[in-house]
Amino acid sequence: MRLPRVFAAALLTLGATLAQAETLKVGTVPGAYSDAVNALIPEAKAQGIDIKVVEFSDWTTPNVALDAGDIDVNFFQHRPFMENASKQKGYAFDIVGLGILQNVGLYSLKHKSFDQIPVGGKVAIANDPVNQGRGLLLLQKAGLVKLKDGVGFLGTVDDITENPKKLKFTEVEGPQLVRITGDVDLAQGYPHFIVAAGTFDPTSALIYSGIEDKLFTVSFVTKAARKDDPVVRKFVALFQNSHAVKQQIHKSFAGSDKLYVLAWQK
């Protein structure tokens, strides 16, 4: 039986597309970043890229996996975090596209204002060098502490020069901060983890960072040797132009524009 020419041509095109499909392993963390990449899977597949999402529960393993070649791209870190990790571990990574800037906040489930934070109050803050510095800058912005001049986002609790309320700090892995927010007086918080946990309102922070923090945009990172890889570049372009991705990001941030910025559009 002979197939109609149009149908036969369509089958040949489909076969060629399937044969040329490239598999791309993308490492993420649960929540907004993982969900956004998952939202792109159907579109990417239609464009010849078979995305495999690999989720990690911490902020160390995604870079270890990228360096080892177990994944092709990761999507969980901002430039200062990447540069600090590369300095410490000798990684040769590069950013191949901007992603989401989430507006980090300071949250309290016990107090409605910074004035109510008691003397000796407990504060939970990220334990890694860069994100701890970011949290401390937010505490300084709130008027709760003062840091050494010039330390910027690389500041640590040891760089606090003024602490009038004698706040006591608990250093916690970033993704775990949401779990102990109710146990302390104030906690640094990441909206997408709060949304994923569903434990309290992610729009309830007493203060947020903002677009001035664009340096902290979570971006797509790959090995420096692959920064011009056409498959990686195509994946990033598809992500940044996908309506489905933008819808999912908005949903992942509780439908609130004050919790995030699509950094590639700014």
Side-chain angles (χ1 to χ4, degrees):
M1 176 176 132
R2 299 181 63 185
L3 294 171
R5 288 185 179 179
V6 174
F7 185 56
L11 285 177
L12 287 172
T13 301
L14 177 61
T17 300
L18 292 174
Q20 295 170 7
E22 296 275 0
T23 297
L24 196 72
K25 293 183 179 180
V26 183
T28 67
V29 290
Y33 309 125
S34 178
D35 292 345
V37 177
N38 274 305
L40 184 63
I41 289 176
E43 291 177 49
K45 193 167 186 177
Q47 294 296 321
I49 301 177
D50 186 13
I51 296 173
K52 302 294 184 185
V53 176
V54 181
E55 287 192 350
F56 299 92
S57 60
D58 64 84
W59 289 349
T60 300
T61 316
N63 277 337
V64 174
L66 182 62
D67 186 58
D70 295 330
I71 58 176
D72 302 296
V73 181
N74 67 35
F75 182 48
F76 81 101
Q77 65 188 321
H78 45 61
R79 180 176 290 280
F81 187 93
M82 181 196 74
E83 291 179 345
N84 186 67
S86 296
K87 182 178 179 180
Q88 290 185 344
K89 302 294 184 180
Y91 300 139
F93 294 160
D94 211 337
I95 288 176
V96 290
L98 296 178
I100 306 166
L101 171 63
Q102 67 166 319
N103 298 325
V104 173
L106 294 178
Y107 292 83
S108 178
L109 301 184
K110 298 180 179 181
H111 313 291
K112 294 183 178 180
S113 71
F114 293 120
D115 291 340
Q116 294 178 2
I117 305 295
V119 172
K122 297 178 180 179
V123 178
I125 195 167
N127 66 355
D128 67 277
V130 172
N131 285 296
Q132 181 169 123
R134 191 181 182 193
L136 289 170
L137 287 174
L138 203 51
L139 285 164
Q140 181 170 254
K141 183 178 178 181
L144 292 174
V145 301
K146 187 173 181 180
L147 302 173
K148 290 179 183 177
D149 291 340
V151 295
F153 60 77
L154 293 179
T156 71
V157 292
D158 294 329
D159 293 312
I160 296 174
T161 58
E162 293 182 22
N163 182 8
K165 291 200 173 193
K166 296 179 171 52
L167 301 174
K168 298 176 181 178
F169 293 89
T170 299
E171 300 175 55
V172 182
E173 183 88 16
Q176 307 306 320
L177 282 164
V178 63
R179 298 189 179 188
I180 69 165
T181 300
D183 300 326
V184 296
D185 293 288
L186 190 66
Q188 180 178 349
Y190 297 83
H192 81 282
F193 287 130
I194 297 170
V195 172
T199 51
F200 56 91
D201 182 4
T203 69
S204 65
L206 300 181
I207 192 173
Y208 291 98
S209 59
I211 189 60
E212 68 272 13
D213 267 5
K214 191 173 180 179
L215 180 65
F216 297 100
T217 297
V218 168
S219 302
F220 294 99
V221 174
T222 190
K223 286 186 175 182
R226 294 193 65 186
K227 66 178 182 179
D228 295 318
D229 186 308
V231 177
V232 172
R233 290 289 181 180
K234 183 177 180 179
F235 158 71
V236 172
L238 287 171
F239 182 95
Q240 293 177 341
N241 288 284
S242 170
H243 181 64
V245 165
K246 293 172 186 175
Q247 282 188 314
Q248 180 57 58
I249 292 171
H250 194 63
K251 179 180 178 181
S252 294
F253 283 97
S256 175
D257 290 333
K258 73 179 182 179
L259 297 184
Y260 74 98
V261 176
L262 299 180
W264 67 87
Q265 294 183 342
K266 299 298 181 179

